[in-house]
Amino acid sequence: MADVDAALDAAGLKNAKVREYVKYWAEHTGAAGVEVISASDDARLIRESLEAGEIQPAGEGLYYSRSYVKDTARSEERTIVATNNPSDAGVYNNWRPAAEMRPLLEQRMRGASAGKTMYVIPYLMAAPGSPLEAYAAGVELTDHRTVVLHMIRMARVGVDYVDNLADPNSFVRAVHVTGDLENLGQGTPDDQRYFVTVADERTILHFGSSYGGNALLGKIAHGLRQAAYDGWASGKFLAEQFMLLGITDKQTGRKYHICGGFPSASGKTNLAMTLAPDSLGERYHVEFYGDDIAWLWVDPDDGKLYGMNPEFGVFGVAKDTNETTNPTALDAIGPGTQALFTNIAYNELTHEVWWEGKTPGPPEDVTGWRDWTGELISERSDANLGEPWAHPNSRFTTTLTTVPNIAADFDSPKGVPIDAIIFGGRTRDREPLIRAITDLAEGVYDGLTLGAEATFAAEGVEGQLRYDPMSMRPFMSYPEGPYAAHWLKIVGAASEQPIFAHVNWFQRHPEDGHFLWPGYRENLRPLIWLMQLKNGEVTGRATPVGIIPTADELHLDGVDITPEDLETILTIDNARWQQEIGFRAKHLEQFPGLPEEIWQAHRRVAAALEADITEPQEQAPKMCHTRRQKG
Ligand code: OXD
Ligand code: MN
């Protein structure tokens, strides 16, 4: 039996509420010992993990780990938001009564950490001094040392973050118990895993995984689900799965901040870490704030909308990260950064790492290389030769400060004023390069109807999106109607309204399928146009679904694009849009209590499209023709 008091005393942890919580769970899970963690413990924990074989060296100051083969991603089906109020049930939050889930999780966790150390990780999901600090403190308890290493990179970790709380009880209780991974029936009808946020009790209970968002509880469970619920319940803020970047115009000295949501596989991390294209580098400097989460609020003193990234690190998808797609990320996981890799391919002789898309092909000499499951590549059977070396959801974990263009004020407690909120899916047709929206309700409507193409045909109707409102579908913690109302209320309170925009880097040629826009660093150009539009320096062209740049308003020097492709991505395909409006109506009808402003926005856009179709030749001669052929 662990001597909890001795461990807490040794760490100088005084908060009586935290001590009570740790004692309860140490006893309940049967942990053999308790250890309180601060970020300064990292080097020691790394040494211990290397000695125990839990991680392996991957070059100077770099480390590699593998997770259990059936534990490689978040599980949406096993993730639940529980509260004491049935009216908190939404379409996406998988709501269950707290009175049902708490006992179930307690039962799963009873004695389940026997023989293991319980690590106590006090953390803060904010810069200290943030106006949202009261919602940011938490204490994760975990029985997995690699999870501790990840949390130290992803959150601000230390005893002081919970010892000086204005209200000693106002920390999120985040309990992570790994369980017997080999006997949990992952993905079967007898699945034992549960990932539960008891939102109105500010308690997170995750059982049955040691991977990513299932186990690093500061990130998604607290930073998104719990924080979104707290932001709504307090009426004070929004917590969204958004990236956040800054653009400085060196000529005028003005700095802009843009945040926004992208469903997975739509290039959010690459955009967050982008650099200015060479030809614009003299004038514009881009800074990185965050790639995954933003909390947004209005400062009552100046009436501006502010945003901040509550995380302290990046948990990025490794696949396809390379010098073209994301050179900044490669620097952030280079020698000496203390980055941790999970589930990529590893060479046990040279300690090199590799993932699909890092280089055009895998290393030619396969000596020493093992795939993410630990199999030697040289021993693969013929049937397995074509299998990926890295898991598609393999990751790198590194702190924000390793990112070369991290913003100088990333740690500012005040946050940064938000100029624009953008949404972007992966859409092969219909969505232009960028369309700006100046009306709040239309902007929120656009976020609610965000989606990405279904990844395989069986999942959906041709041309129909898998909707992912605000890119929050897996993280919604309260019902969608009140969620939309809360958006209107928070952003509506700002005296200076942000501009909204929808972007799409992924439109393809209907015949040969090539991407019409080169993407990556060039994506800065439409964002610069958006800032110029907000400043009244350009006017764009009004369409039923927003304002689109004219070709000469975009700074296109050095961009490899044909005039035809450019015209296509700066045009509205009215027929496809009218079809989309039908899909949208069905999507929104699922959400009871959706504010009337959202329905009015929907009807306004629908009516504008109908009015517009009477003049298709003027609107988009080429585009309409091509798309109709496609059917
Ligand atoms: C996610 C993540 O799962 O950011 O969305 O890890
Ligand atoms: Mn994410």
Side-chain angles (χ1 to χ4, degrees), residues 219-220 241 268 292 475:
K219 184 180 178 52
I220 289 169
Q241 191 191 209
K268 178 158 58 78
D292 200 40
F475 314 114

Side-chain angles (χ1 to χ4, degrees), residues 1 21-31 102-114 118 175 177 205:
M1 178 58 211
Y21 155 72
V22 175
K23 275 188 214 166
Y24 175 83
W25 284 102
E27 188 177 334
H28 187 84
T29 59
R102 250 197 195 269
L104 215 151
L105 268 290
E106 295 232 350
Q107 181 257 322
R108 291 272 193 289
M109 291 177 172
R110 183 170 299 121
S113 302
M118 174 192 272
V175 186
V177 172
L205 302 171

Side-chain angles (χ1 to χ4, degrees), residues 92 261-267 422-431 435 444-455 459 463-474 502-506 576-577 580 583-584 587:
Y92 295 132
F262 294 72
S264 50
S266 302
I422 63 175
F423 303 111
R426 174 181 277 270
T427 318
R428 67 166 46 234
D429 68 352
R430 185 179 56 75
E431 276 294 1
R435 50 186 177 84
V444 175
Y445 163 70
D446 197 72
L448 295 173
T449 52
L450 175 64
E453 278 160 5
T455 41
E459 240 184 66
Q464 189 168 0
L465 301 180
R466 178 182 189 266
Y467 289 108
D468 186 349
M470 307 274 186
S471 70
M472 284 291 283
R473 181 174 170 143
H502 197 108
V503 298
N504 179 28
W505 322 134
F506 301 100
R576 275 288 282 115
W577 267 97
E580 168 64 14
F583 295 145
R584 284 182 174 192
H587 163 63

Side-chain angles (χ1 to χ4, degrees), residues 58-72:
E60 184 208 329
L62 297 172
Y63 309 97
Y64 173 68
S65 73
R66 283 188 194 102
S67 67
Y68 175 57
V69 285
K70 291 184 188 161
D71 183 30
T72 55

Side-chain angles (χ1 to χ4, degrees), residues 72 83 87 121-122 131 152 166 195 239 262 319 389 407 411 438 452 514 584 629 631:
T72 55
T83 69
S87 70
I121 312 172
I152 288 176
F195 309 114
F262 294 72
K319 187 171 187 294
W389 287 24
D411 216 10
T438 52
H514 74 261
R584 284 182 174 192
Q629 275 187 333

Side-chain angles (χ1 to χ4, degrees), residues 158-388:
V159 170
D160 287 351
Y161 295 127
V162 295
D163 251 356
N164 301 307
L165 297 175
D167 170 3
N169 204 21
S170 71
F171 63 94
V172 169
R173 289 151 167 83
V175 186
H176 167 245
V177 172
T178 303
D180 179 7
L181 293 175
E182 290 177 25
N183 292 293
L184 295 176
Q186 292 92 336
T188 70
D190 192 31
D191 203 323
Q192 300 293 303
R193 301 170 300 162
Y194 271 113
F195 309 114
V196 180
T197 298
V198 190
D200 57 352
E201 298 178 6
R202 305 196 77 225
T203 297
I204 297 162
L205 302 171
H206 279 209
F207 173 80
S209 166
S210 70
Y211 200 79
N214 295 339
L216 320 176
L217 303 186
K219 184 180 178 52
I220 289 169
H222 181 164
L224 286 173
R225 287 190 201 96
Q226 182 65 56
Y229 192 90
D230 289 344
W232 173 56
S234 66
K236 286 194 179 147
F237 66 105
L238 297 165
E240 305 294 328
Q241 191 191 209
F242 281 5
M243 63 90 213
L244 174 54
L245 60 74
I247 304 173
T248 301
D249 180 341
K250 294 187 252 181
Q251 201 165 300
T252 62
R254 283 195 65 174
K255 184 162 180 189
Y256 305 98
H257 299 98
I258 301 178
C259 66
F262 294 72
S264 50
S266 302
K268 178 158 58 78
T269 298
N270 293 345
L271 177 66
M273 293 190 168
T274 198
L275 300 171
D278 288 338
S279 63
L280 298 183
E282 290 271 292
R283 177 154 178 194
Y284 296 99
H285 176 58
V286 188
E287 284 174 296
F288 171 73
Y289 285 89
D291 77 319
D292 200 40
I293 303 182
W295 291 6
L296 304 172
W297 71 98
V298 171
D299 181 338
D301 289 338
D302 62 11
K304 286 189 189 164
L305 181 69
Y306 280 84
M308 63 102 164
N309 170 17
E311 302 196 270
F312 192 62
V314 179
F315 181 60
V317 173
K319 187 171 187 294
D320 290 331
T321 303
N322 60 47
E323 281 298 342
T324 306
T325 60
N326 198 337
T328 324
L330 287 188
D331 280 352
I333 55 179
T337 57
Q338 302 299 318
L340 269 169
F341 298 100
T342 313
N343 289 350
I344 56 178
Y346 177 69
N347 189 311
E348 63 189 0
L349 302 177
T350 62
H351 300 171
E352 291 167 284
V353 292
W354 189 82
W355 52 83
E356 272 66 27
K358 183 171 191 251
T359 50
E364 272 177 25
D365 180 0
V366 300
T367 315
W369 281 101
R370 289 184 186 270
D371 69 15
W372 70 274
T373 67
E375 285 297 312
L376 274 172
I377 300 291
S378 57
E379 291 184 2
R380 280 185 159 187
S381 65
D382 283 353
N384 284 342
L385 273 184
E387 289 294 308

